[in-house]
Amino acid sequence: MKPIFEAEFRFYAELNDFLAPPQHHHSLPYRFAGHPGIKDPIEVFGVPHTEVELIIVNGLTVRFDYQLRPGDRVSVYPIFKTLNITPEIQLRAAPAPRFVIDVNLGKLAKHLRLLGFDCLYRNDYHDREIVAIAADNQRIVLTRDRRLLFAKRIDHGYWVRAVKSDQQVIEVLSRFNLYGLIAPFARCILCNGKLALVDKQDVLELLEPKTKLYYEIFYRCTECQQIYWNGSHIENMQRHFKELLTG
């Protein structure tokens, strides 16, 4: 029979969202045999590896391949939003702001596309498809299903806490520091294709009479050919998001 050892884990900040309430902000014992990789006990506590940015063991930074040893004191930190840490201690390279979004977050996908972000979404995605897309195309998974983030092939992902879509948008923008990258009229809200300026004469026959009369600037999706213009509905959405983003 293998001897049983013990290490001590402490999770910080929003990582406590994944723990049972009695475990919040406490040092937690972990009993083990052998020398497991440190990612395994972190996920045993219920914390997805995608939510972890920094691991410190006995005062030294380690990576996910570190093998746990008897008596280790482990501190686990989430993504730093306002503090830069050096590349030598990061667990993974910083991701590009490209997303794949699960079936429970359709409104979030639409809103992020409206703000110009590359978001793959279908309402019939299976979990295995999301995992494959994230791994093969280096996309960040956004999900309301924390279990999805335990998939080994996912490097970058985020469990969206908010329930309402407006708050979800603010949460994602803040989490990935995207405010400076907002670019309306960059993406089609229907298919995620890129939008391009188009001459009014090229789409004239597709427009309603009032649209022809009152608007001069038009965009067309390079994928699905959907036509966009800065009408009242777009103005209302932009005003809505401006209010959200400025508090």
Side-chain angles (χ1 to χ4, degrees):
M1 183 176 179
K2 292 184 178 180
I4 302 299
F5 305 112
E6 185 171 295
E8 182 180 282
F9 282 74
R10 176 74 182 267
F11 295 89
Y12 288 86
E14 61 261 34
L15 294 184
N16 285 274
D17 294 346
F18 299 97
L19 305 178
Q23 296 177 317
H24 288 182
H25 310 291
H26 289 292
S27 294
L28 306 173
Y30 179 78
R31 294 176 178 83
F32 62 97
H35 300 284
I38 202 165
K39 185 166 73 170
D40 292 337
I42 287 173
E43 295 199 326
V44 166
F45 281 110
V47 178
H49 65 276
T50 57
E51 298 275 339
V52 176
E53 177 77 352
L54 178 66
I55 306 171
I56 297 177
V57 179
N58 306 324
L60 300 175
T61 57
V62 302
R63 300 185 184 277
F64 280 131
D65 59 0
Y66 174 84
Q67 292 184 310
L68 199 63
R69 299 171 184 172
D72 277 348
R73 296 173 63 87
V74 182
S75 299
V76 187
Y77 296 87
I79 302 295
F80 291 95
K81 297 176 183 177
T82 58
L83 178 65
N84 290 324
I85 60 175
T86 63
E88 287 75 21
I89 60 176
Q90 287 181 327
L91 296 174
R92 58 183 76 80
R98 298 167 0 108
F99 304 97
V100 55
I101 299 181
D102 82 6
V103 297
N104 299 308
L105 294 171
K107 288 184 178 180
L108 174 62
K110 180 178 179 180
H111 292 335
L112 288 176
R113 288 172 178 174
L114 177 66
L115 295 175
F117 296 102
D118 182 352
C119 300
L120 295 184
Y121 168 82
R122 285 205 325 257
N123 62 8
D124 60 351
Y125 273 148
H126 294 291
D127 285 357
R128 63 179 180 276
E129 293 178 283
I130 293 175
V131 172
I133 290 169
D136 296 342
N137 297 283
Q138 297 182 329
R139 287 181 176 269
I140 302 166
V141 176
L142 299 180
T143 181
R144 285 279 295 157
D145 180 4
R146 68 178 73 182
R147 295 171 300 175
L148 178 59
L149 298 179
F150 287 93
K152 292 182 179 179
R153 295 187 67 199
I154 297 177
D155 285 329
H156 299 283
Y158 178 67
W159 177 51
V160 179
R161 275 72 160 174
V163 175
K164 295 183 178 180
S165 59
D166 285 350
Q167 281 71 42
Q168 290 172 349
V169 172
I170 301 304
E171 188 178 329
V172 171
L173 292 176
S174 176
R175 166 63 173 73
F176 294 98
N177 194 24
L178 301 177
Y179 289 99
L181 300 178
I182 293 173
F185 287 108
R187 292 277 169 181
C188 176
I189 62 174
L190 299 180
C191 77
N192 194 50
K194 292 183 178 180
L195 299 186
L197 277 169
V198 61
D199 192 281
K200 182 177 180 179
Q201 294 301 316
D202 293 339
V203 296
L204 197 62
E205 62 184 24
L206 303 175
L207 306 178
E208 297 293 334
K210 288 186 178 181
T211 304
K212 295 178 184 179
L213 181 62
Y214 293 113
Y215 299 99
E216 297 298 326
I217 299 176
F218 295 87
Y219 302 82
R220 181 160 53 192
C221 176
T222 57
E223 298 293 332
C224 73
Q225 307 303 307
Q226 177 72 23
I227 306 298
Y228 292 86
W229 61 94
N230 199 358
S232 60
H233 62 299
I234 296 295
E235 292 172 353
N236 289 337
M237 283 191 284
Q238 289 177 323
R239 188 180 304 110
H240 174 65
F241 279 112
K242 184 177 180 180
E243 291 172 356
L244 281 177
L245 298 178
T246 58

